């Protein structure tokens, strides 16, 4: 059935209100502290390592993001963990809280479509995430300049910026998941728990599951090189079903120009390849499939949330 | 009275096999106060949600202010103010901020919005509390805030679902005065309730609802005449054996209903003398006998008693 009027009328209003709520909530304060402390810790720990290679590496500044100093993981790995948590915290009660506060039917009786509400809430979450990550990004770059005593080059800034955009997109995937659960479960606690379970699955158990499943799907025959190759491909394919893997691969490829290919490669493929950094534009081409994967993941989740929300009874 | 403002034709809503609203026909004219009356689960809320385009009917159609709530929901929602049966606000925000949000959703510009908000808050006597967060509001204040929202919106139609649910008698009275003054200004009001006095005192017309169907519809006094058969109602308190049959046997008695206190008698004329005689002759002890006004409660009890018997 055709409806009249813009589906997005009011989305901006919803977004501004939700953004104000997000930015002033105690929940966000806590997360900001957590993320800044973790980020600063990771960067501070790596700076000693990075200092040692200042003279050898033309992209030394980007090393701040990718170098890990045991026992702390690298800044990128930290974000891989923390962004989903922040996104889940922003989205798990987005829709169900309107039901629980009994504001849903009053809001939907105003001249807006449900679409506006869902888009507004999603965009507010994404904007909050973007603000937080940008602040963190500037903070880390500032810290790098201060501690290393040298400014990043133009290309380094460009690469770091692409990384920032990817980090926000990665957050968008988890935000869409949290939003979906906030539509699916009336209880906010259930929605949060469900979203955190998915996060736990991908953050900790996915690689174990993959290493269990891969030999079953593609057994390795010690006498057959191709079976090993096949196995490696299966492992790669399965692990790329996880948004965390996609994010980690993209982040590394864009921040480390020495990475010329992602995933398993035969040494014959590298024969004759010069051992020089990959130009920026080719790094972008390299990560493009992964970025598309993240976008597809987001679109899928958001569409399901959208359809589920459209069919939902307004009555609490 | 001009063209109907709210119209429902064969409106039906099914939840699985259950019929929540069954083939409903309804016409409400401009400036009317219309009451939907019925017990829990009768289908009042479902009807209201279909009129607002918030629930899709299984079949049939509705027209509100000349628009189809399914195809042109924004036009409908621009003209209708809705107060849900359990109205909620953002607790951490002030009453004022809550209304500002609604105003923005309605597309009002800041200056205009603030002017209308101030006027509507004053009208429901919430000006002093406007800056306080809603979590400190009483039930009655929330209800008034919801009315302020409808006023601020400039709606020409108000749909109120159980508007006095949980209000004390004092707040209910104030609320009724407010409804009357809105009616006076030409607003069309549809309200649902199971509170009978409420409906009787403010509604021009009512529809008695049961199991998704309108059983009876009409002006309050017409309903009383048609259901009760006569306008005389007599209330009796007495002790004795098989009194109901005894009273029924008295001359002129049309109907007897047993209540908690005694009996309610309906009759075409004043039959108090005949009833008293019948009770005493049957050896009963008469403790109270008085002529009462017929109220819609009697209609309601009679009607739903009949509906239960039929089921
Ligand atoms: N989402 C739903 N799924 C299944 N049945 C429903 C749903 N919503 C309502 N119903 C049923 O529809 C019928 C009508 O409900 P409705 O809420 O319209 O009644 P009501 O007259 O508003 O009652 P109340 O006075 O309790 O508010 C009820 O029998 C209810 O069980
Ligand atoms: Mg109801």
């Amino acid at each position: 059935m055709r409806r009249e009027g813009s589906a997005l009328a009011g989305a901006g209003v919803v977004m501004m209100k939700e953004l104000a709520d997000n930015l002033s909530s105690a929940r966000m304060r806590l997360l900001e502290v957590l993320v800044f402390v973790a980020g600063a810790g990771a960067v501070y720990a790596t700076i000693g390592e990075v200092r040692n290679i200042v003279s050898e590496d033309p992209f030394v500044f980007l090393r701040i993001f990718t170098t890990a100093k045991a026992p702390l993981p690298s800044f990128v790995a930290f974000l891989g963990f923390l962004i989903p948590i922040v996104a889940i915290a922003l989205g798990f009660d987005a829709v169900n809280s309107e039901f629980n506060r009994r504001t849903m039917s009053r809001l939907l009786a105003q001249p807006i479509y449900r679409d506006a509400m869902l888009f507004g809430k999603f965009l507010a979450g994404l904007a909050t995430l973007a603000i937080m990550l940008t602040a963190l990004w500037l903070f880390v770059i500032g810290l790098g300049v201060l501690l290393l005593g040298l400014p990043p080059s133009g290309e380094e800034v460009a690469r770091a910026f692409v990384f920032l955009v990817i980090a926000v997109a990665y957050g968008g995937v988890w935000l869409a998941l949290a939003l979906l659960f906030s539509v699916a479960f009336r209880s906010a606690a259930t929605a949060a728990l469900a979203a955190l379970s998915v996060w736990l699955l991908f953050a900790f158990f996915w690689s174990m599951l993959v290493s269990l499943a891969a030999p079953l799907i593609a057994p390795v025959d010690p006498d057959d090189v191709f079976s090993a190759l096949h196995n490696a491909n299966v492992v790669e394919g399965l692990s790329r079903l996880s948004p965390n893997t996609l994010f980690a691969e993209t982040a590394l490829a864009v921040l480390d120009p020495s990475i010329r290919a992602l995933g398993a490669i035969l040494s014959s493929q590298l024969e004759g390849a010069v051992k020089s950094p990959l130009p920026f534009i080719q790094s972008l081409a390299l990560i493009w499939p992964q970025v598309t994967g993240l976008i597809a993941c987001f679109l899928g989740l958001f569409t399901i949330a959208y359809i589920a929300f459209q069919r939902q009874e307004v009555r609490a | 009275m001009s063209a109907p403002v709210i119209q429902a034709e064969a409106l039906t809503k099914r939840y699985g096999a259950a019929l929540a609203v069954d083939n409903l026909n309804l016409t409400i004219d401009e400036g009317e106060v219309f009451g939907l009356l019925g017990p829990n689960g009768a289908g009042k809320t479902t009807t209201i949600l279909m009129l607002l385009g918030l629930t899709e009917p299984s079949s049939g159609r509705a027209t509100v202010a000349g628009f189809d709530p399914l195809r042109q929901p924004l036009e409908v929602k621009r003209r209708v103010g809705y107060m849900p049966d359990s109205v909620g606000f953002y607790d951490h925000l002030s009453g004022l901020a809550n209304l500002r949000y609604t105003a923005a959703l309605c597309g009002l510009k800041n200056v205009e919005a603030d002017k209308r908000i101030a006027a509507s808050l004053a009208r429901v006597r919430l000006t002093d509390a406007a800056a306080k967060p809603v979590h400190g509001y009483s039930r009655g204040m929330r209800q008034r805030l919801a009315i302020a929202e409808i006023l601020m919106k400039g709606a020409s139609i108000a749909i109120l679902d159980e508007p006095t649910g949980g209000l004390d008698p004092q707040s209910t009275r104030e609320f009724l005065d407010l409804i009357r003054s809105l009616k006076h200004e030409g607003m069309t009001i549809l309200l649902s309730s199971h509170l009978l006095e409420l409906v009787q005192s403010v509604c021009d017309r009512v529809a008695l609802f049961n199991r998704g169907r309108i059983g009876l519809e009409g002006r309050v006094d017409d309903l009383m005449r048609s259901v009760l058969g006569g306008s005389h109602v007599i209330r009796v308190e007495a002790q004795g054996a098989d009194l109901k049959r005894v009273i029924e046997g008295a001359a002129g008695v049309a109907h007897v209903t047993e209540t908690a206190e005694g009996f309610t008698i309906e009759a075409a004329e004043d039959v108090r003398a005949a009833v008293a005689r019948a009770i005493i002759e049957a050896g009963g002890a008469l403790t109270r006998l008085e002529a009462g006004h017929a109220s819609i409660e009697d209609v309601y009890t009679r009607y739903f008693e009949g509906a239960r018997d039929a089921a």
Side-chain angles (χ1 to χ4, degrees):
Chain A
M1 174 151 324
R2 275 208 53 236
R3 307 176 301 182
E4 285 178 10
S6 161
L8 292 183
V13 176
V14 175
M15 178 183 157
M16 292 318 289
K17 175 207 175 252
E18 295 293 325
L19 187 59
D21 279 359
N22 284 347
L23 291 178
S24 62
S25 71
R27 194 190 295 172
M28 271 327 280
R29 285 289 103 72
L30 272 173
L31 288 169
E32 275 159 16
V33 170
L34 176 72
V35 168
F36 269 81
V37 167
V43 171
Y44 192 79
T46 59
I47 228 77
E49 305 276 300
V50 176
R51 267 209 198 104
N52 296 335
I53 50 165
V54 165
S55 48
E56 302 154 24
D57 191 337
F59 291 100
V60 66
F61 205 88
L62 295 178
R63 294 279 177 197
I64 298 174
F65 291 97
T66 54
T67 309
K69 167 89 167 78
L72 288 184
S74 69
F75 180 70
V76 168
F78 251 130
L79 284 192
F81 276 127
L82 290 180
I83 288 175
I85 303 228
V86 176
I88 288 171
L90 283 169
F92 77 94
D93 65 348
V95 173
N96 46 23
S97 72
E98 300 283 352
F99 281 107
N100 297 334
R101 280 182 295 207
R102 305 190 173 278
T103 42
M104 185 59 99
S105 48
R106 197 172 53 82
L107 279 197
L108 291 181
Q110 308 313 324
I112 57 165
Y113 281 114
R114 292 183 189 203
D115 314 43
M117 185 131 144
L118 203 64
F119 280 116
K121 282 183 179 270
F122 178 78
L123 290 178
L126 201 65
T128 314
L129 208 66
I131 291 171
M132 185 166 164
L133 288 175
T134 307
L136 182 66
W137 183 82
L138 289 171
F139 172 70
V140 165
I141 289 188
L143 206 62
V145 172
L146 216 66
L147 294 177
L148 283 181
L150 93 178
S153 70
E155 184 175 340
E156 278 175 319
V157 172
R159 281 177 179 272
F161 180 74
V162 172
F163 165 68
L164 173 64
V165 172
I166 290 166
V168 174
Y170 173 59
V173 172
W174 285 97
L175 190 61
L177 180 87
L179 213 60
L180 170 60
F181 285 150
S182 86
V183 172
F185 300 108
R186 266 310 147 76
S187 144
T190 312
L193 224 58
L196 285 176
S197 314
V198 176
W199 170 76
L200 216 61
L201 170 71
F202 284 124
F204 295 103
F205 300 125
W206 194 249
S207 55
M208 299 180 210
L209 286 180
V210 167
S211 57
L212 283 179
L216 300 178
I217 300 171
V220 181
D221 178 356
D223 300 328
D224 184 359
V225 215
F226 287 101
S227 76
L229 185 63
H230 182 51
N231 181 277
N233 281 333
V234 167
V235 168
E236 193 180 291
L238 286 180
S239 43
R240 280 184 186 159
L241 291 178
S242 155
N244 297 38
T245 313
L246 294 180
F247 171 69
E249 285 190 352
T250 346
L252 278 187
V254 79
L255 289 175
D256 186 352
S258 70
I259 292 183
R260 307 189 61 90
L262 290 169
I265 30 174
L266 296 178
S267 51
S268 64
Q269 283 175 301
L270 279 183
E271 231 163 72
V274 266
K275 201 177 170 336
S276 67
L278 202 60
F280 181 37
I281 201 81
Q282 287 193 29
S283 286
L284 290 186
L286 185 64
I287 62 170
W288 189 241
Q290 269 75 359
V291 172
T292 324
L294 279 178
I295 293 174
C297 198
F298 154 72
L299 283 179
L301 289 169
F302 191 80
T303 309
I304 299 172
Y306 178 86
I307 294 172
F309 184 48
Q310 292 290 346
R311 292 171 168 226
Q312 209 155 44
E313 279 283 327
V314 265
R315 211 176 327 204
Chain B
M1 294 287 154
S2 52
V5 172
I6 298 178
Q7 200 164 18
E9 291 162 39
L11 210 54
T12 301
K13 178 70 183 180
R14 249 178 234 104
Y15 287 111
L19 270 172
V21 174
D22 184 7
N23 208 3
L24 177 96
N25 291 294
L26 195 66
T27 307
I28 301 174
D29 291 317
E30 194 174 341
E32 242 187 332
V33 180
F34 191 94
L36 281 179
L37 202 55
N40 293 132
K44 306 178 295 283
T45 302
T46 310
T47 305
I48 288 174
L49 292 180
M50 287 192 285
L51 292 177
L52 282 164
L54 293 180
T55 287
E56 206 172 318
S58 308
S59 65
R61 46 176 270 127
T63 318
V64 176
F67 296 98
D68 177 348
L70 268 193
R71 284 166 196 273
Q72 301 150 305
L74 300 193
E75 295 298 333
V76 169
K77 293 195 264 184
R78 224 165 261 141
R79 289 164 178 79
V80 178
Y82 171 50
M83 175 162 142
D85 51 358
S86 49
V87 64
F89 291 91
Y90 298 104
D91 276 349
H92 63 287
L93 297 178
S94 66
L96 185 65
N98 269 288
L99 290 197
R100 282 211 177 117
Y101 183 38
T102 315
L105 288 175
C106 293
L108 293 178
K109 295 277 167 295
N110 284 343
V111 182
E112 172 69 7
D114 282 350
K115 213 166 65 193
R116 288 204 202 175
I117 291 172
S120 55
L121 283 173
R123 180 101 190 252
V124 298
R125 296 182 301 102
L126 277 179
T127 309
D128 293 336
K132 300 200 181 95
V134 173
H135 64 69
Y137 280 28
S138 71
R139 181 90 188 229
M141 288 163 86
R142 282 162 204 257
Q143 223 94 344
R144 271 157 35 212
L145 189 58
I147 296 286
E149 182 180 87
I150 295 174
L151 294 174
M152 176 272 295
K153 209 171 154 180
S156 60
I157 304 170
I159 297 187
L160 315 173
D161 199 353
E162 302 280 359
T164 55
L167 292 191
D168 63 23
Q170 165 73 17
S171 314
T172 305
R173 221 167 8 255
E174 284 178 11
F175 182 82
L176 292 182
D177 289 338
L178 194 58
I179 299 223
R180 281 190 205 99
S181 72
L182 293 181
K183 171 187 160 59
H184 210 70
E185 288 155 30
M187 197 184 259
T188 309
I189 299 170
L190 168 65
L191 55 87
S192 92
S193 182
H194 50 244
L195 281 184
L196 308 152
E197 309 95 288
L198 168 82
V199 169
Q200 181 164 23
S201 60
V202 296
C203 291
D204 299 318
R205 281 197 303 142
V206 296
L208 294 196
F209 231 80
N210 197 26
R211 295 163 198 241
R213 288 173 168 273
I214 289 187
L216 283 172
E217 191 206 315
R219 308 190 60 82
V220 174
D221 35 357
D222 290 345
L223 280 190
M224 286 193 209
R225 242 192 314 280
S226 76
V227 173
L228 302 178
S231 46
H232 281 264
V233 170
I234 295 157
R235 297 183 206 284
V236 176
E237 279 179 39
Q239 285 78 40
D242 204 12
L243 279 181
K244 186 165 190 244
R245 212 180 42 78
V246 169
I247 297 171
E248 274 166 354
V253 171
H255 184 83
V256 181
T257 319
E258 198 155 355
T259 63
E261 301 93 44
F263 303 92
T264 302
I265 300 168
E266 291 150 25
E269 59 205 65
D270 191 348
V271 293
R272 277 180 291 177
V275 169
R277 206 161 34 242
I279 292 176
I280 289 165
E281 278 169 8
L286 183 62
T287 48
R288 196 164 76 98
L289 177 69
E290 64 178 26
H293 286 290
S295 75
I296 194 151
E297 181 155 6
D298 300 313
V299 176
Y300 193 76
T301 326
R302 256 311 269 290
Y303 171 66
F304 287 112
E305 187 180 72
R308 237 192 313 278
D309 291 347

